[in-house]
Amino acid sequence: MQPITYDTASAEVRAVFDDIKATRKVADVNNFWKHLAHDPRMLRHVWESLKEMMGPGALDPLTKELIYVAVSVTNGCEYCMASHTAGARQKGASEEMIREVYAVTGLANMTNRLANAYKVPVDEAFK
Amino acid sequence: MQPITYDTASAEVRAVFDDIKATRKVADVNNFWKHLAHDPRMLRHVWESLKEMMGPGALDPLTKELIYVAVSVTNGCEYCMASHTAGARQKGASEEMIREVYAVTGLANMTNRLANAYKVPVDEAFK
Amino acid sequence: MQPITYDTASAEVRAVFDDIKATRKVADVNNFWKHLAHDPRMLRHVWESLKEMMGPGALDPLTKELIYVAVSVTNGCEYCMASHTAGARQKGASEEMIREVYAVTGLANMTNRLANAYKVPVDEAFK
Amino acid sequence: MQPITYDTASAEVRAVFDDIKATRKVADVNNFWKHLAHDPRMLRHVWESLKEMMGPGALDPLTKELIYVAVSVTNGCEYCMASHTAGARQKGASEEMIREVYAVTGLANMTNRLANAYKVPVDEAFK
Amino acid sequence: MQPITYDTASAEVRAVFDDIKATRKVADVNNFWKHLAHDPRMLRHVWESLKEMMGPGALDPLTKELIYVAVSVTNGCEYCMASHTAGARQKGASEEMIREVYAVTGLANMTNRLANAYKVPVDEAFK
Amino acid sequence: MQPITYDTASAEVRAVFDDIKATRKVADVNNFWKHLAHDPRMLRHVWESLKEMMGPGALDPLTKELIYVAVSVTNGCEYCMASHTAGARQKGASEEMIREVYAVTGLANMTNRLANAYKVPVDEAFK
């Protein structure tokens, strides 16, 4: 499917694009939104969720981007790795921080399977 | 398989258990290590990797625990969710921080699939 | 590995190719079968399973294709997304239907992780 | 974490619970919502997304529930399998329909990996 | 759903149960087959596929069981881990062999994510 | 990120590269190591783990490579499929052996989901 650009977008889609651009202070939305715009309802729901949850909260926005990278690497989503690694860099992540995300993600994927394999029971102290 | 406790452990395993206890300042190792001890070589490799990578670095140890939680939730590893959520709390995570990890993990798993589905091409700006 | 075309196929593989073409009323089999033909036993087992299970039954063939798309998107299998989305269109799926499959798949991947994270116990009413 | 019941819920959470009960014509919300209520923002976002996307559209609500089951089985989410299988039955799914969802989900998970393994290139006709 | 036992099975299901018992030289089929029997067509397809593919071939049956364990651990399928680990032991696997399967599975899950994260291009020599 | 070649590597990275080359009797390390070298600590940990665990043990090195292929196919890691299939061929795997790995991996991914779907309880005999 072709991406939906601002020029070709419906008023409903444009309103979301405008909000993304204003919120993120960017000149244009990235490809994810231009493709998701084929489904204006999901475009709105996903944007409203990300807008509220990815901003400052109990966790800072950079930490949230790093978590996004870790999940995307686990799932092998190439687009998401690229966009959220870029997002993390923009929010101040150093190359070393990104590499540590990769390292922890790799280790967690290993120990998740070892815990499965050995059927490790949850410690009383963790309950 | 039964867990291997300190009393029944070989000298090789005890050495790793001792190092875990000393490094983490805990009275006993948790169940993961007692089960992984059935494979003394992996016990050593996993511990040495975690010891070096999960400590302070470009990212602080709490952020690393939160990433571990996100990956474990993605993979559905119950033991790992329990142990790393406990680890995060011990390192100072509030309940609100943990809930934001859950939220971001859920959102990332959704948008990872939407990016797959729409075959979104990576933006030039992300390359 | 190179695909196995009808001309180069063994009699055993040709028999399956012939059955696929006759069943689906197509001039040629698609790439999946030409590659799987390297393993004539699996070619036969997979074809016989799909032939029986993907046809009309308690669910209509279109619904089955949509389920196939949802699983393939979840697993990030690019070939399978492409072939089963094409199959769904051929069986009458509109673009809106396909986009709703994508939306539901995304939402399910999110709530699956939220259910994991919050360790939600199964309601009595669901047992 | 303990579930949040209507009695103990904040006004913000109660408003969502009320909307779920009114929309679904049920006496109480199920456990998923009572646990997700620990994060009122996600409670609202997830509910608003599901409310709009899981209702009638290009696909009927039953087909959407079946897709939800297929994704949940693929990810091994026990709670989600239970709740969406119950949802599908309530919307009219027969046991045979549910078993066909299981069958197609199993087959798709197999052929997804065979397509990966043989690196099958996407057919021109599917592009 | 309740398992379908030999006594309550249809003739079609009994024929498959008889073949499993004769092929594997066992007194009764295991729970997997008793549950899958709710779908007699899949029961037959899955059994015929496993019967042909899990027996001696280019790989010996024990190696195939070990691969089954590795996949099941990766996917976190508790039943499948239990049944195929038992199958491997029955075919002669030592505890050390099983632990090495676990180790390799853990390592592969780690390096799979590191290869994703670093977007490692395939070496010319591997093409 | 650009790969780190021997010429541009630090002494710490070179030491690992030298050990890989000596252990595997190869003229150069493959791309995985050249990229992972951006994180010298993980480079060392991953190499030390693989060096010890992938060599001869209770399982022979070829069987271990085949297990690696099965996990990589399950996870859809293209690089890992390519490198470990090449590794398996180099250790003597025939094309038929590799195809049987693919077949078993596909079947396991199917039956893993069927076991999930039917919530099959673990047989007493497997405990």
Side-chain angles (χ1 to χ4, degrees):
Chain A
M1 277 178 270
Q2 292 301 308
I4 291 178
T5 58
Y6 196 85
D7 287 347
T8 62
S10 67
E12 184 184 7
V13 166
R14 275 194 188 185
V16 178
F17 282 9
D18 283 336
D19 194 34
I20 296 173
K21 293 195 286 183
T23 304
R24 296 191 165 176
K25 299 181 178 60
V26 289
D28 195 9
V29 303
N30 64 39
N31 285 343
F32 177 74
W33 305 108
K34 290 178 188 168
H35 282 76
L36 188 57
H38 284 285
D39 186 346
R41 294 176 299 173
M42 280 301 279
L43 176 70
R44 184 166 37 79
H45 286 299
V46 173
W47 167 242
E48 291 190 355
S49 300
L50 291 191
K51 183 183 179 181
E52 183 161 12
M53 301 310 298
M54 295 299 286
L59 297 175
D60 59 283
L62 172 54
T63 299
K64 293 178 182 180
E65 287 286 352
L66 297 177
I67 289 170
Y68 230 105
V69 170
V71 173
S72 302
V73 166
T74 296
N75 289 328
C77 179
E78 193 177 329
Y79 181 81
C80 314
M81 287 192 276
S83 64
H84 291 283
T85 303
R89 285 191 180 111
Q90 194 188 3
K91 289 182 178 68
S94 65
E95 294 310 299
E96 281 186 327
M97 290 168 75
I98 289 168
R99 288 198 285 265
E100 291 201 351
V101 173
Y102 294 166
V104 175
T105 301
L107 291 167
N109 273 287
M110 174 172 61
T111 59
N112 280 194
R113 271 61 182 210
L114 292 170
N116 285 348
Y118 284 96
K119 289 186 290 182
V120 185
V122 176
D123 299 70
E124 281 307 312
F126 298 161
K127 288 177 182 169
Chain B
M1 275 178 272
Q2 292 302 308
I4 291 179
T5 57
Y6 196 84
D7 288 346
T8 62
S10 66
E12 185 183 5
V13 166
R14 276 192 188 187
V16 177
F17 282 9
D18 283 336
D19 194 33
I20 296 172
K21 293 196 285 184
T23 303
R24 297 191 164 174
K25 297 181 179 62
V26 289
D28 195 9
V29 303
N30 64 38
N31 284 344
F32 177 72
W33 305 108
K34 289 179 189 168
H35 282 77
L36 188 56
H38 284 284
D39 186 345
R41 294 176 299 172
M42 279 301 280
L43 176 70
R44 184 166 37 78
H45 287 299
V46 173
W47 167 243
E48 291 190 355
S49 299
L50 290 192
K51 182 183 179 183
E52 183 161 12
M53 301 310 299
M54 295 299 287
L59 298 175
D60 60 282
L62 172 53
T63 300
K64 292 178 183 181
E65 286 287 352
L66 297 176
I67 289 170
Y68 230 106
V69 170
V71 172
S72 302
V73 166
T74 297
N75 289 330
C77 179
E78 193 177 330
Y79 182 81
C80 312
M81 287 192 276
S83 65
H84 291 283
T85 302
R89 284 190 181 113
Q90 193 189 5
K91 289 182 178 66
S94 65
E95 294 310 299
E96 282 185 328
M97 290 168 76
I98 288 167
R99 289 197 283 265
E100 291 202 351
V101 173
Y102 294 166
V104 175
T105 301
L107 292 167
N109 273 287
M110 174 171 61
T111 59
N112 280 195
R113 271 61 182 209
L114 292 170
N116 284 349
Y118 285 97
K119 287 187 291 184
V120 185
V122 176
D123 299 71
E124 281 306 312
F126 298 161
K127 288 177 182 171
Chain C
M1 276 178 272
Q2 292 301 307
I4 291 179
T5 58
Y6 196 84
D7 287 346
T8 62
S10 67
E12 184 183 6
V13 166
R14 276 193 187 184
V16 178
F17 282 10
D18 283 335
D19 194 34
I20 296 173
K21 293 195 285 184
T23 303
R24 296 190 164 176
K25 298 182 178 62
V26 288
D28 195 8
V29 303
N30 64 40
N31 284 343
F32 177 73
W33 305 108
K34 289 178 187 168
H35 282 76
L36 188 56
H38 284 285
D39 187 346
R41 293 177 299 174
M42 280 300 280
L43 175 71
R44 184 165 38 78
H45 287 299
V46 173
W47 167 243
E48 290 189 355
S49 300
L50 291 191
K51 182 182 179 182
E52 183 161 11
M53 302 310 299
M54 295 299 287
L59 298 175
D60 60 282
L62 172 53
T63 299
K64 293 178 182 180
E65 286 287 351
L66 297 176
I67 290 170
Y68 231 103
V69 170
V71 172
S72 303
V73 166
T74 297
N75 289 329
C77 179
E78 192 177 330
Y79 181 82
C80 313
M81 287 191 276
S83 65
H84 291 282
T85 303
R89 284 191 180 111
Q90 192 188 5
K91 290 182 178 65
S94 65
E95 294 310 300
E96 282 185 328
M97 291 168 74
I98 288 167
R99 288 197 284 264
E100 291 201 350
V101 173
Y102 294 166
V104 175
T105 302
L107 292 167
N109 272 288
M110 174 171 61
T111 60
N112 280 194
R113 271 61 182 210
L114 292 170
N116 284 349
Y118 285 97
K119 287 186 291 182
V120 185
V122 176
D123 298 71
E124 280 307 311
F126 298 160
K127 287 176 182 171
Chain D
M1 278 178 272
Q2 292 302 308
I4 291 179
T5 58
Y6 196 85
D7 288 345
T8 62
S10 67
E12 183 183 7
V13 166
R14 274 193 189 186
V16 178
F17 282 9
D18 283 334
D19 194 33
I20 295 172
K21 292 195 286 184
T23 303
R24 296 192 165 174
K25 300 181 177 60
V26 289
D28 195 8
V29 303
N30 65 39
N31 285 343
F32 177 72
W33 305 108
K34 290 179 188 168
H35 282 76
L36 188 56
H38 284 284
D39 186 346
R41 294 176 299 172
M42 280 300 281
L43 176 70
R44 184 166 38 78
H45 286 299
V46 173
W47 168 242
E48 290 189 356
S49 299
L50 290 192
K51 182 183 179 183
E52 183 161 12
M53 302 310 299
M54 294 300 286
L59 298 176
D60 59 283
L62 172 54
T63 299
K64 292 178 183 181
E65 286 287 353
L66 297 176
I67 289 169
Y68 231 103
V69 170
V71 172
S72 302
V73 166
T74 297
N75 288 330
C77 179
E78 192 176 330
Y79 182 81
C80 313
M81 286 192 278
S83 65
H84 291 282
T85 303
R89 284 191 181 111
Q90 193 188 5
K91 290 181 178 66
S94 65
E95 295 310 299
E96 281 186 327
M97 289 169 77
I98 289 167
R99 289 197 284 265
E100 291 202 351
V101 173
Y102 294 166
V104 175
T105 302
L107 291 167
N109 273 287
M110 174 172 61
T111 60
N112 280 195
R113 271 60 182 210
L114 292 171
N116 285 349
Y118 285 96
K119 288 187 291 184
V120 185
V122 176
D123 299 70
E124 281 306 311
F126 298 160
K127 289 179 181 170
Chain E
M1 275 178 275
Q2 292 302 307
I4 291 179
T5 57
Y6 196 86
D7 287 346
T8 61
S10 67
E12 184 183 6
V13 166
R14 276 193 187 186
V16 177
F17 282 10
D18 283 336
D19 194 33
I20 296 173
K21 293 196 285 184
T23 304
R24 297 191 164 175
K25 298 182 179 60
V26 288
D28 195 8
V29 303
N30 65 39
N31 284 344
F32 177 73
W33 305 108
K34 290 178 187 168
H35 283 75
L36 187 56
H38 284 284
D39 187 345
R41 293 176 301 173
M42 280 300 280
L43 176 71
R44 184 165 38 79
H45 286 299
V46 172
W47 166 242
E48 290 190 356
S49 300
L50 290 191
K51 182 183 178 183
E52 183 162 11
M53 301 311 298
M54 295 299 286
L59 297 175
D60 59 283
L62 172 54
T63 299
K64 292 177 181 180
E65 287 287 352
L66 297 176
I67 290 170
Y68 231 105
V69 170
V71 172
S72 302
V73 166
T74 297
N75 289 329
C77 178
E78 192 176 330
Y79 182 81
C80 313
M81 286 192 277
S83 65
H84 292 282
T85 303
R89 284 190 181 113
Q90 193 188 5
K91 288 181 179 67
S94 65
E95 294 311 298
E96 283 185 327
M97 290 169 75
I98 288 167
R99 290 197 284 264
E100 292 202 351
V101 173
Y102 294 166
V104 174
T105 301
L107 292 167
N109 273 287
M110 173 172 61
T111 60
N112 280 194
R113 271 60 182 210
L114 292 171
N116 285 349
Y118 285 97
K119 287 187 292 183
V120 185
V122 176
D123 299 71
E124 282 306 312
F126 298 160
K127 287 177 183 169
Chain F
M1 277 179 271
Q2 292 302 308
I4 291 179
T5 57
Y6 196 85
D7 287 346
T8 62
S10 67
E12 184 183 6
V13 166
R14 274 193 190 185
V16 178
F17 282 10
D18 283 336
D19 194 33
I20 296 172
K21 292 195 285 184
T23 303
R24 296 191 165 174
K25 298 183 178 59
V26 288
D28 196 8
V29 303
N30 65 40
N31 285 344
F32 177 73
W33 305 108
K34 289 178 187 169
H35 283 77
L36 188 56
H38 284 284
D39 187 346
R41 293 176 298 173
M42 280 299 280
L43 175 71
R44 184 165 38 80
H45 286 299
V46 173
W47 167 242
E48 290 190 356
S49 299
L50 291 191
K51 183 183 178 181
E52 183 161 10
M53 301 310 298
M54 295 299 286
L59 297 175
D60 58 283
L62 172 54
T63 299
K64 293 178 182 180
E65 287 287 351
L66 297 176
I67 290 170
Y68 231 104
V69 170
V71 172
S72 302
V73 166
T74 296
N75 288 330
C77 178
E78 192 177 330
Y79 182 81
C80 313
M81 286 192 277
S83 66
H84 291 282
T85 303
R89 284 191 180 112
Q90 194 189 4
K91 288 182 179 66
S94 65
E95 294 310 298
E96 282 185 327
M97 291 168 74
I98 289 168
R99 288 196 285 265
E100 291 201 350
V101 173
Y102 293 166
V104 175
T105 302
L107 292 167
N109 273 287
M110 173 171 62
T111 59
N112 280 194
R113 270 62 181 207
L114 293 170
N116 285 349
Y118 285 97
K119 288 187 290 185
V120 185
V122 176
D123 300 69
E124 282 306 312
F126 298 161
K127 288 178 181 169

